[in-house]
Amino acid sequence: MTDVVASVGAVMDGVPPENVQAARSYLWRLEVLGHLDQSWSEGKWRIRPTMVTQLPGSSAFALVVGKRSPELEERLEADTVLHKLEQSRSGIGSLSDPRTLIVEYDNEAELRQVASSSGADFISCAALSIAEDLPSLGLGPLAGGPNTQGSPVQMFNVRMGKFMHVETFHRDGLFKQKVNGRSVYWLLRSGIWYSTTYAEGVCLTRVDIDKECFELQITEDADDPIGMLRVDKGLPLPMPHFQALTLCSGFHPDKTSDGSWTFENIPSSVANAVAQSVHQQLQIV
């Protein structure tokens, strides 16, 4: 993973440490879009196998994610109508998201054949599949908590939305500490420490003050209404949740002026599954 970050960072505008941060952000975006899997804690990554998956609410368009190559695009163009759509640069320096590949099809049997002939896996609708499998977020594994002799410990201030230095840590909440140069996160509940991640920890503490961080504006009325989903800026979503929403369109969400995320082409069922998983109540407007 370090080599990948260095390689991506080398082509970014600016100088370190800006390069490294931009590279990390870019790789995170590629994972959100379904092109790779990564584990920063283990220093591992992999390009995902090519996958063809139907877009929710559509019976004519499917998304191609994972490993892509000029040869793959040639095969797809020979078998079907292939659309190559540019992503927004979204303030990520000299690297923009890869083009979104969308193929047209007449029926599922034809789409399965297109996937097979191009060497791709087929999933009926990856967004719905991921959303349906999302568990209800809970406390992580038991842990020892911060090292009192280690680097400074910070506690997450839910109302201010940021971590702040603390001298003692006996009150329930989300804490972090640098361990070997990496931020490690814990939740304290009734005197017991649990290991967690930044996104899951914030979700589990944010619910104490706000359960209305998801707002779906319906744009297409159907059995499973589809619309634009706004997720409050103070609620970072875990990767599976972010992927479920992003794969509804194949495009990275827009970030509004107030920092909220807006996702397009989101079925009510997917929005509700993601919201319930992080203990939020979906607002329909």
Side-chain angles (χ1 to χ4, degrees):
M1 182 67 73
T2 301
D3 291 340
V4 176
V5 173
S7 298
V8 175
V11 298
M12 299 297 294
D13 294 330
V15 296
E18 290 81 1
N19 274 2
V20 174
Q21 183 57 42
R24 284 177 176 267
S25 175
Y26 183 64
L27 291 172
W28 175 79
R29 293 170 69 86
L30 291 182
E31 185 173 13
V32 165
L33 291 166
H35 299 312
L36 58 81
D37 294 319
Q38 58 183 324
S39 172
W40 291 108
S41 60
E42 298 179 4
K44 297 179 179 179
W45 71 282
R46 73 180 182 102
I47 297 176
R48 301 186 69 179
T50 308
M51 176 180 69
V52 175
T53 182
Q54 294 163 303
L55 290 173
S58 171
S59 59
F61 298 102
L63 184 64
V64 182
V65 298
K67 183 179 180 181
R68 282 114 56 97
S69 66
E71 293 75 21
L72 171 67
E73 293 187 19
E74 289 177 3
R75 289 197 297 271
L76 291 173
E77 288 177 324
D79 293 337
T80 186
V81 176
L82 176 65
H83 300 274
K84 306 174 184 180
L85 307 177
E86 295 292 337
Q87 298 256 357
S88 167
R89 293 177 66 86
S90 303
I92 54 173
S94 61
L95 291 177
S96 59
D97 291 342
R99 291 179 299 184
T100 294
L101 300 185
I102 293 179
V103 297
E104 291 189 28
Y105 66 96
D106 292 326
N107 53 65
E108 185 173 307
E110 176 192 340
L111 186 60
R112 287 179 179 273
Q113 180 57 43
V114 168
S116 177
S117 62
S118 62
D121 296 329
F122 173 81
I123 295 181
S124 178
C125 182
L128 287 171
S129 178
I130 295 173
E132 290 173 351
D133 289 339
L134 291 175
S136 176
L137 289 190
L139 299 175
L142 294 174
N147 180 359
T148 57
Q149 304 302 315
S151 60
V153 177
Q154 294 181 304
M155 181 179 182
F156 187 68
N157 186 310
V158 183
R159 297 193 179 278
M160 296 183 67
K162 64 180 182 179
F163 283 91
M164 305 180 69
H165 176 72
V166 289
E167 294 294 339
T168 60
F169 29 97
H170 304 296
R171 184 159 50 95
D172 282 3
L174 173 64
F175 296 82
K176 78 170 181 177
Q177 183 181 42
K178 287 284 188 179
V179 178
N180 297 325
R182 181 174 62 89
S183 292
V184 179
Y185 299 88
W186 297 271
L187 280 170
L188 179 62
R189 289 287 188 272
S190 302
I192 301 176
W193 290 99
Y194 302 88
S195 178
T196 190
T197 64
Y198 168 70
E200 292 189 7
V202 173
C203 286
L204 289 171
T205 53
R206 179 67 183 271
V207 70
D208 293 334
I209 65 167
D210 189 2
K211 293 185 178 180
E212 298 182 353
C213 294
F214 285 72
E215 182 180 276
L216 182 65
Q217 181 179 356
I218 302 300
T219 57
E220 182 180 336
D221 193 16
D223 292 338
D224 189 3
I226 290 177
M228 181 180 71
L229 178 69
R230 185 190 70 82
V231 179
D232 189 271
K233 64 177 180 179
L235 195 74
L237 295 177
M239 180 56 69
H241 302 66
F242 221 114
Q243 280 188 342
L245 297 175
T246 303
L247 291 177
C248 287
S249 66
F251 288 93
H252 200 273
D254 290 326
K255 208 168 189 178
T256 62
S257 58
D258 70 354
S260 299
W261 292 109
T262 56
F263 299 83
E264 299 287 347
N265 196 48
I266 308 298
S268 176
S269 59
V270 172
N272 194 54
V274 173
Q276 287 186 353
S277 175
V278 295
H279 309 291
Q280 291 286 320
Q281 297 173 355
L282 179 64
Q283 311 301 306
I284 305 290
V285 296

